[in-house]
Amino acid sequence: MDEALLRGLAPGVLAVLVRRGADFAAAEDAVQDALVEAVRVWPAGTPRDPKGWLVTVAWRRFLDAARSDASRRRREDLVDREPAPGPAPPVDDTLQLYFLCAHPSLSPSSAVALTLRAVGGLTTRQIAQAYLVPEATMAQRISRAKPTVSKVRLDRPGDVSTVLRVLYLVFNEGYSGDVDLAAEAVRLTRQLAASIDHPEVAGLLALMLLHHARRAARTAPDGSLVPLAEQDRARWDTGAIAEGVAILQAALARDRLGEFQAQAAIAALHADAPTAAETDWVQIVEWYDELARLTGSPVVRLNRAVAVGEADGPRAGLAALAELDATLPRHTAVAAYLHERDGDLATAARLYAEAARKAASPAERDHLTRQAARLNARQGP
């Protein structure tokens, strides 16, 4: 069974059902039923037109459910809309589904969660981990979002800023390696940039390209994380970097700065440095100042503390860190790094070990554990 094929086809099948008049929640249930049926039947032979097969089965499951509903008479009119058998039209509806889920009556977090679940193919657990909330909380959030969006037609425009947040979160989830959605997020963002003249859309595309260019160097052969300063820059994709920088420069020239453009500018400065030692940390701090002004995000200020530690010395970084809430994710890891830079190896080792216990992923936990062990070994018994 080709699970990647099913994952790729599901959004388009869902879009076809919604476009034919099925409400969103019922359409998603019907598509899930069709996917289960495919898992049961396809091992004996994949149909010639997989998408058409899924559309047919999902539509019939939707009609079966609609007929059993209290509003039988109204919904049975949908039977007349059943298409004749034949190949499904080669239309990519995925981007339209992102806009559907970005309905203005939904909170941004609910819109992102619903889109990742229904379109991105992530599980509720994976979305909850991305948001750092319990799985039950995320399940309730998704359930509350479905009825709101169920009455919205596919051609109703959504909110661009929410769609951008969705695409970036999908990219980051794929970038983590748990679900490989990074390339799909780049593809959809390219599609969005081609259809919408918006500097922040361009900024997000540039940011994705600049991050994606470093992907091959982010992990060692054994799967362990490789920090940016230790990455083999010869493995970076120079073509993607050049494209990202060009897109960013064109966006910045329009003088409508947004948070994705600012993040891309920081990524571009990292990509432009031949070595870690040649990184322009002073300019990176300035961009973090702009980003903090735009977002007010404590996570931005946490990253800024690292940059300050590089530009002005570790004690300046620790002073900036002291102004932030110690319960922020990665706060302890940043403190460990800055204390190591300041020469306090005992404190750094203790904080690395503490940060490892709080890590959100096994790869991050293993990396921090190795850092603690390295410093403990340097100190001796």
Side-chain angles (χ1 to χ4, degrees), residues 84-274:
V91 177
D92 188 349
D93 299 296
T94 308
L95 191 61
Q96 289 178 281
L97 280 175
Y98 275 98
F99 277 94
L100 172 65
C101 292
H103 190 266
S105 61
L106 291 174
S107 69
S109 59
S110 292
V112 170
L114 179 62
T115 307
L116 290 173
R117 180 70 180 88
V119 189
L122 275 67
T123 65
T124 303
R125 177 186 59 80
Q126 290 163 338
I127 302 170
Q129 288 177 342
Y131 271 97
L132 303 177
V133 299
E135 183 175 348
T137 301
M138 185 54 63
Q140 292 176 351
R141 189 176 296 173
I142 294 172
S143 296
R144 287 195 299 267
K146 285 184 179 181
T148 303
V149 79
S150 64
K151 304 301 181 183
V152 181
R153 296 303 300 267
L154 187 63
D155 56 355
R156 181 172 176 177
D159 178 66
V160 175
S161 63
T162 300
V163 173
L164 293 180
R165 284 193 290 273
V166 170
L167 290 169
Y168 191 40
L169 188 53
V170 172
F171 176 81
N172 284 332
E173 183 64 26
Y175 203 51
S176 72
D178 189 19
V179 178
D180 189 7
L181 294 174
E184 176 68 1
V186 172
R187 184 186 72 82
L188 289 169
T189 307
R190 282 190 188 279
Q191 195 175 48
L192 184 63
S195 60
I196 298 178
D197 183 20
H198 194 296
E200 272 295 84
V201 177
L204 177 59
L205 178 57
L207 176 62
M208 287 183 176
L209 289 169
L210 289 163
H211 278 315
H212 208 50
R214 302 199 302 259
R215 188 173 192 181
R218 290 187 74 245
T219 55
D222 62 0
S224 60
L225 293 179
V226 179
L228 177 60
E230 300 173 18
Q231 289 177 15
D232 179 0
R233 300 185 179 219
R235 299 184 66 195
W236 290 0
D237 184 341
T238 55
I241 290 172
E243 182 185 5
V245 169
I247 292 171
L248 173 63
Q249 288 174 338
L252 292 175
R254 301 178 64 177
D255 199 24
R256 290 170 54 193
L257 184 63
E259 60 177 291
F260 289 118
Q261 294 169 75
Q263 288 188 59
I266 294 169
L269 286 167
H270 283 297
D272 187 55

Side-chain angles (χ1 to χ4, degrees), residues 285-358:
V285 171
E286 293 174 356
W287 275 111
Y288 270 123
D289 289 338
E290 289 286 348
L291 190 55
R293 179 183 61 80
L294 288 166
T295 66
S297 167
V299 174
V300 169
R301 295 178 63 198
L302 182 69
N303 291 329
R304 177 185 177 277
V306 177
V308 169
E310 300 289 352
D312 301 326
R315 296 199 177 182
L318 287 168
L321 187 66
E323 300 174 0
L324 303 178
D325 186 348
T327 63
L328 277 173
R330 294 187 59 248
H331 185 285
T332 306
V334 170
Y337 174 74
L338 291 172
H339 276 291
E340 180 183 357
R341 287 282 318 281
D342 194 38
D344 188 350
L345 302 189
T347 299
R350 176 178 57 79
L351 290 173
Y352 275 131
E354 181 181 338
R357 293 191 292 270
K358 302 176 182 178

